[in-house]
Amino acid sequence: MKRNAYIFILTLLLAIFVYGFNLFSSSSRSLVYLPIPQIAQVHLPKPLELASISSSVLGAQAIDPKDLVKYVNQERAKVGSAELRISPILMQAAQLRADVILKHQNFSHQDPYENIELTTVLPKLKYQFRYASENIGMGGISAENFVSGFMNSTSHRENLLSPFLSDTGVAVVTGPYKQYYVNIAVQLFAIPGGKKEYLGYSEEEISVYQKQLSDLDAKLNPLIWSIGKITRSKENTSDKYKTLNRQREILETIYNQMKEEKPLTNEHVTLIAEYNSNLH
């Protein structure tokens, strides 16, 4: 009996020691502010219907997509911007975009049919970027006419003339679009970047998020010892618990995005800002 009593006391003392150690360990782990990432930017001006859309272009001479680049570069030279260089990958991406617009009669930057959009087609083609944009126009009767139409639109003109843009790709498709027979032009613009610039984070930052998750788990789940077993607290409605739980949700959302090697978005930047504000 005495021996069993000693064992019970020793077990209880050990439980108290481990419980205290875990509380000390979890409380001593400090959470740090997360850096605000510089994410890849995407700009999508409103699709442009040229005035000539009301006239049929049936039988018109085919438009060489590279002619659009030629006339765009002429306009860029007038304002001192360097020539855009033609990227084979952006040419391929522009063709995919133009084909899907005509195929589904969907003159839009979004594609609910095959999900071939600027933000999806570039990753599929392994093109990493810091900035990407797309001009789409319908109804032009020549390459020069398309460029003139884009130049007359403020948001489209910014793409054509921006001194920061370096790469471009163009596609032109011709065919029936609803009651018209038209040309549809898609021109992509981009600033290429490395993996970090495209994703918005590095391998080291993934490790930071992993450690933060581990530290939060230590704070959220203090061990509660009972005789013969360890149980977790099933309910804690304190403000501190709610805040820490929200912090974990934010970290897990961003960490999962990183594990899948997907780029961070403006929504993730907002979450990181919320996380940092909760550390006050």
Side-chain angles (χ1 to χ4, degrees), residues 131-154:
Y131 179 93
S133 188
E134 175 182 80
N135 282 357
I136 58 175
M138 180 164 58
I141 58 176
S142 66
E144 194 170 14
N145 182 235
F146 268 117
V147 174
S148 176
F150 288 139
M151 285 293 293
N152 287 325
S153 166
T154 301

Side-chain angles (χ1 to χ4, degrees), residues 22 31 42 73 97 134 137 147 184 213 221 235 250 260:
N22 276 282
L31 303 176
V42 174
N73 281 334
R97 286 286 299 124
E134 175 182 80
V147 174
I184 297 173
L213 273 171
N221 302 310
E235 185 177 359
I250 293 172
E260 295 178 12

Side-chain angles (χ1 to χ4, degrees), residues 19-30 215 218-219:
Y19 173 64
F21 175 81
N22 276 282
L23 285 178
F24 172 78
S25 176
S26 64
S27 63
S28 64
R29 298 183 185 185
S30 59
D215 290 350
K219 288 178 175 293

Side-chain angles (χ1 to χ4, degrees), residues 95-121:
Q95 189 65 58
L96 289 170
R97 286 286 299 124
D99 288 341
V100 80
I101 288 172
L102 185 61
K103 177 182 177 182
H104 296 290
Q105 305 284 284
N106 179 45
F107 189 54
S108 169
H109 292 294
Q110 285 72 47
D111 173 32
Y113 303 97
E114 299 180 41
N115 195 32
I116 299 176
E117 304 175 2
L118 181 63
T119 54
T120 60
V121 71

Side-chain angles (χ1 to χ4, degrees), residues 2-23:
K2 288 184 178 181
R3 189 168 182 275
N4 289 339
Y6 287 140
I7 293 175
F8 173 77
I9 293 171
L10 287 173
T11 301
L12 185 60
L13 289 174
L14 179 62
I16 294 172
F17 171 78
V18 174
Y19 173 64
F21 175 81
N22 276 282
L23 285 178

Side-chain angles (χ1 to χ4, degrees), residues 81-271:
S81 294
E83 287 190 354
L84 294 172
R85 60 176 178 249
I86 294 176
S87 162
I89 298 179
L90 291 183
M91 292 291 283
Q92 183 181 355
Q95 189 65 58
L96 289 170
R97 286 286 299 124
D99 288 341
V100 80
I101 288 172
L102 185 61
K103 177 182 177 182
H104 296 290
Q105 305 284 284
N106 179 45
F107 189 54
S108 169
H109 292 294
Q110 285 72 47
D111 173 32
Y113 303 97
E114 299 180 41
N115 195 32
I116 299 176
E117 304 175 2
L118 181 63
T119 54
T120 60
V121 71
L122 294 184
K124 287 179 182 177
L125 296 176
K126 309 300 182 184
Y127 186 92
Q128 296 177 340
F129 59 90
R130 287 186 290 155
Y131 179 93
S133 188
E134 175 182 80
N135 282 357
I136 58 175
M138 180 164 58
I141 58 176
S142 66
E144 194 170 14
N145 182 235
F146 268 117
V147 174
S148 176
F150 288 139
M151 285 293 293
N152 287 325
S153 166
T154 301
S155 58
H156 295 84
R157 184 171 63 248
E158 289 175 356
N159 279 340
L160 267 62
L161 302 182
S162 172
F164 303 107
L165 299 178
S166 58
D167 289 14
T168 191
V170 187
V172 180
V173 292
T174 302
Y177 187 87
K178 299 181 180 178
Q179 69 267 40
Y180 303 111
Y181 194 90
V182 298
N183 293 314
I184 297 173
V186 175
Q187 183 165 19
L188 307 184
F189 306 85
I191 304 173
K195 185 175 181 179
K196 180 178 179 180
E197 288 82 6
Y198 171 63
L199 294 176
Y201 54 88
S202 63
E203 292 292 331
E204 292 75 16
E205 287 170 308
I206 298 177
S207 298
V208 170
Y209 275 81
Q210 189 175 33
K211 183 179 184 303
Q212 288 285 83
L213 273 171
S214 176
D215 290 350
L216 261 177
D217 281 339
K219 288 178 175 293
L220 271 170
N221 302 310
L223 299 178
I224 300 174
W225 281 75
S226 60
I227 297 175
K229 64 179 181 177
I230 304 172
T231 61
R232 292 183 184 271
S233 176
K234 294 183 179 180
E235 185 177 359
N236 190 332
T237 58
S238 69
D239 290 340
K240 182 178 180 181
Y241 176 84
K242 290 178 181 178
T243 299
L244 289 176
N245 196 49
R246 174 58 181 162
Q247 296 291 75
R248 194 189 190 289
E249 289 176 357
I250 293 172
L251 282 177
E252 191 168 40
T253 297
I254 299 170
Y255 181 61
N256 287 339
Q257 187 82 352
M258 291 177 168
K259 284 197 302 182
E260 295 178 12
E261 288 200 346
K262 293 181 178 179
L264 297 181
T265 66
N266 288 322
E267 288 75 14
H268 293 112
V269 173
T270 300
L271 287 175

